[in-house]
Amino acid sequence: MSRLEEIADELYGLTPDRFVARRSELAKEARSEGDRKLAKAVSGLRRPTQSAWAVNQWVRAEPDNCGLIAELAADLTAAQRRSDVGAIRSLSTRRKEVVAASARGVVDTADGLGVTLSENMIREVVQTLRAAIADRDTLDLLRRGRLTSSVEYSGFGPAGVFVVPDPASDTDDTEATDTAPDDTGPDDTPPDDDAEADEAAARRRELEERLARAESVEQEARDDLTEASSAVDEASSEVDELAGRVRELREQLSRVEDELRFARQRLSAAEKGRSEAKAALREAIAEAGEIRAALADLD
C-alpha cells in the first residue's frame, strides 16, 4: 500500500469534523519531508458528507455485507446481457431486500459510533447503495470506503435495475429502515379524494427529493468552503513559516556581516603590526651589522 493510500485510509476512517484538521497535518508533514507531490495529493482528498461517511464506516465494519452489493451488481449485469427477464425480476426483488438491509446496517453502524442519521441522510444512503449496484465506479468507491458524497445514478448502467420495476411496489427502499409511514388498512377515501391525495403525495415526494438534492448541494458547497478555507490556512501557515525563515536568515546575515567587519578591522591591525615588525627587524639587523663591524675593528 502506498503512502497516499495509507493516508486516505486513515482520513476516511475519521469523522467528518476531524477530517480537515488531520488532512492539513498530514499535508504539512509531507511538505516538511520534501514530498510536495504527496502534499498536493493529500490536500486534494475531499471531506466526506455525513451520509457518505456513514456508508464508508459500514463498509469497514461489515465488508461481507458490502460484498453482497457487488455480487448483486454482477448478477444483474449478467442477467441483463442475457436479456433474462425472469432473472432480472427476481434480482430486482433481491435488490430491494439487499438495499434495505444494507441501509439498516449503515444506520446501525453510525448509531454505534454515536451518530444519528436524519431521514434525508438515510435517503441519500439508499440512493448511494442503489447507484453502487448500477454503476461500477460508484461500486469501486463504496468497496474501498472512499465515498465523499451521496450518489444518485442517472446513467444507463445495468438496465435491469431500472427497466424492470420492483415486483411489489415502486416505493423507495427506505421503507425498510422504518422511516416510511404504515399506509396499510382499509381505504374509505372517495375516488376524487384519492386522486387529490395521490397528487399531493406525488407533489410532496417531488419537493422532498428537491429538498434532499438542495441540501446535498448546500452541504457540498459548505465542504468546498471548508476545504478552501483549509487551503488558505495551509498557504498562510507556509507563508508565515517562510517569512520566519527569512527573518532568521537576515538576522544571521547581519551577524555574519558584523563579524566580517570586525575580522577586516583585525586584519588591518594585524597587517599594520606586521609592517611595523618588518621595519623593526630591518633596524635590528642593521644595528647588529654595525656592532659586528665594530667588534671586527677591535680585533
Side-chain angles (χ1 to χ4, degrees), residues 78-94:
Q80 180 62 24
R81 287 174 178 168
R82 297 193 308 270
S83 298
D84 189 339
V85 175
I88 292 173
R89 288 185 181 277
S90 175
L91 289 169
S92 294
T93 299
R94 183 177 156 205

Side-chain angles (χ1 to χ4, degrees), residues 31 47 56 168 171 190 194 257 279:
R31 280 198 303 272
R47 186 183 75 162
N56 290 340
T171 56
D194 280 348
E257 287 178 338

Side-chain angles (χ1 to χ4, degrees), residues 261-275:
R261 185 169 57 254
F262 295 145
R264 284 174 173 166
Q265 290 175 355
R266 290 195 301 273
L267 174 60
S268 178
E271 288 177 340
K272 183 180 180 180
R274 184 177 64 179
S275 297

Side-chain angles (χ1 to χ4, degrees), residues 66-78:
C66 172
L68 295 177
I69 297 286
E71 179 183 337
L72 178 57
D75 290 346
L76 276 166
T77 300

Side-chain angles (χ1 to χ4, degrees), residues 206-252:
E206 178 188 356
L207 291 173
E208 287 178 345
E209 290 174 0
R210 289 174 58 189
L211 175 60
R213 287 194 294 269
E215 288 178 341
S216 178
V217 170
E218 177 188 356
Q219 184 60 52
E220 288 183 6
R222 290 182 184 276
D223 291 342
D224 289 343
L225 175 59
T226 299
E227 291 187 6
S229 298
S230 175
V232 169
D233 292 342
E234 290 176 12
S236 177
S237 175
E238 187 174 4
V239 167
D240 290 343
E241 181 181 348
L242 291 173
R245 289 180 59 190
V246 168
R247 284 193 299 270
E248 291 176 1
L249 290 173
R250 283 177 176 167
E251 291 173 358
Q252 184 178 356

